[in-house]
Amino acid sequence: MDNALRAERDGWSRRRFVGAVAGTAAVVTVPAPAAPPPDPAPAPVPHGRKTEPGSRPLYLGTYTSVEGGGKGVSVTRYDPVSGAVTDAEPLAEIPDPSYLTVHPDGRTLYAVDEREDGAVTAVRLADGHVLGSRSTGGSGPCHLSVHPSGRWLLSANYGSGSVAVHPVDASGALGERTALVAHSSPAPGPGQQGPHAHQFITSPDGGHVLSVDLGTDTVYTYRLDTGRGTLTEVSRARTRPGAGPRHLTFHPNGRYAYLANEVDDTVAVCAYDPATGRLTVGEPQSSGSTGGATNYPAQFVVTPGGDFAFLANRGHDSVARYAVEEDGARLRLLDTVPVDGDFPRQLALAPDGRLLFTANQRSGTVSVFHVDTGTGALSRAGEPFASPVAVCAVPL
């Protein structure tokens, strides 16, 4: 979400410019990239940085084109036991890197360049060297993820309502785009001027990729050709009109997923069929927001064991805590926990699930919580860590 509340109230949500591109799918084919190195590497330490024994990297993304923003991607360290975060240092100067992800082998970081002329950028983590950028073919890219094979980067263009695929070579660098699909139908939902692709992820079975579109109230399922990097649509799931779906997070069993609906301030449990890629959206449920403040649910995360789910609430400025029941088929709201920050846009769990990080955009902070693995209870791990316009935090 941008730094201006007015823009959000106008329905722009995360973006600083409005635009929608309608049209047919455009697909380009290039040779398949070489496979990445098979063995994961230890979490890299940027060149010249001193670290405490046992500390882990935490990568931070920010807006660079807003007042008080950062200068790109930075890296800090966190203690996996205490949750303490140390001072951040610059990693790479990238324009508006509002969402980040790391390659499965741990060697390369990818960032969106959330600009009107959208791009995705690859950064070598060992030394912060920028491996290059590639156009996403659309405007305002706001999300990206790496296919589990490590060979394809998936990105979502919010402004133009399209999704893109780029090949990843053995060095982690990106090749020319192999697919670009615009969400030209169904018609935009109430209050929306066009499609707004907000997320592009791979299902746990690896057989399908799914895009969540806030503007069309639809989750699109595609089959990714893992040899050519092209997309074939196989299914669509509609929310109720005006829900404004934003982010989808799967349960570890791969049969259920949890959808955060930004516009109507609800969440939903979705059933998923791995064989067909079909998603079925359940009835809307409470986000836990109370008190009358306008609230925009942002993102779900699910604990590694699948017992608890957490939801970031922007406006209510809380994390909603849910018990996951019936093997993933049911969410039961337990409580909400204040984030001690303003506008928690993104959530992330440490790999072992014992720490939860919230990137609080308007307060320019990252809050850290201990997670009780038995009850899902959250307790704050010290004071929030200051970071300019913090919009994404990725712990390794």
Side-chain angles (χ1 to χ4, degrees):
M1 188 106 25
D2 64 43
N3 67 320
L5 178 59
R6 179 181 60 80
E8 275 175 12
R9 288 177 175 168
D10 288 342
W12 191 214
S13 180
R14 294 170 51 129
R15 314 285 78 84
R16 289 181 304 287
F17 49 86
V18 179
V21 173
T24 57
V27 178
V28 182
T29 302
V30 301
D39 298 323
V45 178
H47 179 68
R49 182 173 176 85
K50 296 180 180 179
T51 63
E52 293 297 324
S55 68
R56 303 284 300 172
L58 175 68
Y59 298 99
L60 304 176
T62 182
Y63 282 120
T64 60
S65 61
V66 300
E67 184 178 355
K71 295 183 178 181
V73 179
S74 60
V75 60
T76 184
R77 306 289 294 189
Y78 72 95
D79 186 305
V81 177
S82 71
V85 179
T86 58
D87 290 342
E89 294 185 358
L91 178 70
E93 291 191 8
I94 297 171
D96 292 322
S98 62
Y99 205 89
L100 313 174
T101 195
V102 174
H103 193 281
D105 68 12
R107 295 183 171 95
T108 310
L109 177 142
Y110 301 96
V112 298
D113 303 7
E114 193 184 313
R115 296 291 179 92
E116 187 167 4
D117 185 12
V120 285
T121 298
V123 181
R124 189 167 59 209
L125 289 179
D127 56 6
H129 176 68
V130 175
L131 298 173
S133 300
R134 297 287 185 176
S135 170
T136 60
S139 63
C142 65
H143 184 270
L144 77 175
S145 62
V146 182
H147 187 268
S149 68
R151 300 180 64 196
W152 306 100
L153 184 74
L154 314 174
S155 59
N157 292 309
Y158 183 91
S160 52
S162 58
V163 293
V165 181
H166 288 81
V168 179
D169 71 20
S171 73
L174 299 171
E176 289 292 344
R177 189 176 61 245
T178 58
L180 178 66
V181 177
H183 296 160
S184 56
S185 66
Q192 302 296 322
Q193 302 304 309
H196 294 309
H198 218 304
Q199 185 189 31
F200 200 18
I201 59 172
T202 306
S203 61
D205 59 275
H208 299 90
V209 292
L210 296 90
S211 175
V212 180
D213 195 296
L214 182 150
T216 62
D217 293 323
T218 301
V219 181
Y220 302 82
T221 300
Y222 301 93
R223 186 169 293 280
L224 172 68
D225 184 320
T226 56
R228 298 187 301 156
T230 55
L231 297 169
T232 302
E233 184 179 323
V234 298
S235 179
R236 295 181 184 182
R238 300 295 305 276
T239 67
R240 66 177 182 175
R246 176 187 175 95
H247 271 267
L248 184 78
T249 301
F250 277 91
H251 187 273
N253 68 19
R255 294 184 289 111
Y256 298 96
Y258 311 114
L259 187 63
N261 294 317
E262 175 178 308
V263 178
D264 74 356
D265 189 19
T266 65
V267 303
V269 177
C270 304
Y272 176 72
D273 181 357
T276 63
R278 182 173 297 277
L279 192 78
T280 303
V281 181
E283 293 298 313
Q285 299 179 220
S286 172
S287 68
S289 65
T290 57
T294 301
N295 184 61
Y296 305 93
Q299 181 177 3
F300 267 112
V301 292
V302 181
T303 55
D307 297 321
F308 301 97
F310 303 110
L311 172 73
N313 279 318
R314 299 163 299 164
H316 193 246
D317 294 339
S318 66
V319 173
R321 185 172 64 104
Y322 295 85
V324 178
E325 301 174 337
E326 299 177 16
D327 291 329
R330 181 171 182 259
L331 288 179
R332 179 167 56 89
L333 180 64
L334 299 174
D335 58 20
T336 58
V337 178
V339 298
D340 196 22
D342 191 352
F343 232 61
R345 168 164 158 171
Q346 182 254 356
L347 292 180
L349 286 164
D352 64 4
R354 295 179 180 273
L355 292 174
L356 177 71
F357 299 82
T358 74
N360 309 315
Q361 179 175 353
R362 291 183 182 159
S363 57
T365 57
V366 176
S367 299
V368 187
F369 296 88
H370 293 287
V371 180
D372 186 307
T373 57
T375 66
L378 300 176
S379 58
R380 203 174 71 186
E383 294 298 315
F385 177 76
S387 177
V389 194
V391 291
C392 189
V394 178
L396 295 190

